[in-house]
Amino acid sequence: MFFTVESSARLHLGFYTISGGHTAYGSIGVAIEKPRVTVQVRRSDEVEVRNLTQVRVEGDVAEVVKSLGLPGAEVGVLEAIPRHVGLGSTTQIRLSLAYALSRAYGMDWSVRKLAFTLGRGWVSGIGVAAFERGGFILDSGRTVRGGRVQEPKSCDDLPKIVYRTPLPEDWYFVVAVPKGIRGLDEREERPALEAPKTDRKLECELHEAVLTGMLPALARGDAEVFGKALTKVQRLVGRYFSRWQGGEFCCWETEEFVEAMLRGGAYGAGQSSWGPTAYGLVEGEESAKRLLENVRRSAERIGVEAEIFMTRARNGGFSFSLAGT
């Protein structure tokens, strides 16, 4: 019997707080329909991996099998998300594998327990929440004591969903992933995140953009106002992290794509996580197609090779199924 799990990427849209009192890095994000993860597993006394993608996943399989204390697993990876480009690949592949294997071995573990065991969701709760429920998400951030971010001691300490709602079906993201560039990984990002700096002006600007811009606009279905507020959040967060990523964006290629999105009619645009993925928000499929072509022409003009596509929010969580023998 094969146990199959399907999930997909997420865009990390920034923070509504960097450091406010006892909370740091309250995250904003959205699950998107692609790129996707699809894994099939069944019980085995050995670890066997059949990888049909160009993404290296063997280390993820070994880590999940070890963390769950399993004797082995037969694993097929049919789809995977590119690594270290700001799309949340590690959380999605490992949670997909872990959930499928936990069911195959009769382990009645929650998604959050699996996440804690695997060390996922320790930095941001968006990836775990996107896997479990999808949609647009604000999480509860990280706990701060003595000016330093605390590591979770149990799954109860992982960031929780503060707000979650579906995005309108006619809101589209155009996504550009420059090739040959990688964002910071979890080891490299640690110095940037372990001791957040309190900046009251920055906090007020972020709160205003999210609480009086993004959230009311989303409730009204106003993509234009939502997008403007999103762009503001992205600029503010980018400036805060500029000392670690070398500027407001991780690289000039990402900055070019963000500007191309805005010139091409996107209501809002930014960099997902540490990049290099850039995205732009529009309303309506035809608008998305026009923006897609504009961004592709911009890529040709500046000589940057990139994967460029359009997608919508994935407003539900992962899927699970059984098949065959």
Side-chain angles (χ1 to χ4, degrees):
M1 182 73 69
F2 280 100
F3 296 74
T4 301
V5 169
E6 297 180 355
S7 185
S8 58
R10 62 94 179 103
L11 297 174
H12 195 285
L13 306 179
F15 300 104
Y16 63 86
T17 181
I18 299 291
S19 179
H22 300 293
T23 301
Y25 308 126
S27 293
I28 312 165
V30 61
I32 54 176
E33 291 180 337
K34 62 181 184 181
R36 291 156 44 96
V37 171
T38 303
V39 301
Q40 293 181 332
V41 310
R42 64 180 175 183
R43 297 169 66 152
S44 175
D45 292 331
E46 300 178 332
V47 175
E48 306 173 53
V49 181
R50 180 171 56 94
N51 184 5
L52 303 184
T53 78
Q54 300 300 310
V55 180
R56 297 183 64 179
V57 297
E58 290 75 13
D60 299 290
V61 174
E63 182 64 29
V64 170
V65 169
K66 178 182 176 182
S67 296
L68 298 187
L70 305 178
E74 183 180 337
V75 174
V77 179
L78 283 63
E79 298 176 281
I81 301 167
R83 310 307 292 264
H84 303 305
V85 296
L87 292 173
S89 60
T90 303
T91 293
Q92 298 307 314
I93 187 67
R94 293 193 181 184
L95 280 180
S96 296
L97 289 166
Y99 189 86
L101 285 169
S102 70
R103 295 297 296 269
Y105 277 91
M107 302 165 64
D108 188 23
W109 287 21
S110 69
V111 169
R112 288 177 64 82
K113 183 175 181 179
L114 291 169
F116 176 77
T117 302
L118 297 170
R120 310 318 305 164
W122 288 37
V123 174
S124 165
I126 298 300
V128 176
F131 177 82
E132 188 167 23
R133 296 188 59 189
F136 173 83
I137 302 152
L138 271 66
D139 75 20
S140 60
R142 308 278 304 283
T143 300
V144 177
R145 292 193 183 93
R148 301 187 74 82
V149 174
Q150 302 298 296
E151 288 194 354
K153 300 294 191 298
S154 73
C155 59
D156 290 335
D157 296 334
L158 296 179
K160 297 177 174 63
I161 296 174
V162 171
Y163 177 78
R164 184 263 169 204
T165 191
L167 280 192
E169 292 293 324
D170 62 345
W171 288 19
Y172 283 79
F173 292 96
V174 172
V175 180
V177 186
K179 295 184 178 180
I181 303 170
R182 61 185 294 278
L184 301 183
D185 62 25
E186 291 168 359
R187 177 184 56 81
E188 294 166 334
E189 74 181 359
R190 192 169 295 122
L193 299 174
E194 60 188 2
K197 177 184 176 183
T198 300
D199 182 329
R200 295 302 178 191
K201 182 175 183 295
L202 171 62
E203 290 293 301
C204 288
E205 290 182 294
L206 287 172
H207 295 166
E208 180 182 30
V210 175
L211 295 178
T212 69
M214 291 178 74
L215 297 186
L218 181 53
R220 296 192 302 267
D222 189 333
E224 183 173 4
V225 172
F226 178 92
K228 288 180 179 178
L230 172 59
T231 302
K232 182 176 181 180
V233 168
Q234 283 281 292
R235 299 287 188 183
L236 292 169
V237 172
R239 289 169 197 158
Y240 176 85
F241 287 107
S242 61
R243 60 177 289 197
W244 289 282
Q245 63 178 7
E248 194 170 304
F249 300 97
C250 72
C251 56
W252 69 266
E253 293 91 341
T254 298
E255 183 170 10
E256 286 282 351
F257 278 124
V258 169
E259 295 302 328
M261 302 274 189
L262 295 172
R263 287 195 306 269
Y267 290 138
Q271 169 183 297
S272 180
S273 189
W274 293 109
T277 293
Y279 62 85
L281 172 70
V282 294
E283 188 172 19
E285 185 175 4
E286 291 305 313
S287 295
K289 289 178 179 178
R290 286 194 296 271
L291 180 59
L292 181 69
E293 289 308 311
N294 285 337
V295 174
R296 284 175 173 166
R297 286 195 294 270
S298 294
E300 293 175 1
R301 177 179 55 81
I302 62 177
V304 174
E305 189 177 359
E307 180 73 20
I308 305 171
F309 57 92
M310 53 187 275
T311 185
R312 296 182 298 178
R314 176 171 56 82
N315 284 321
F318 70 98
S319 67
F320 171 74
S321 61
L322 302 177
T325 57

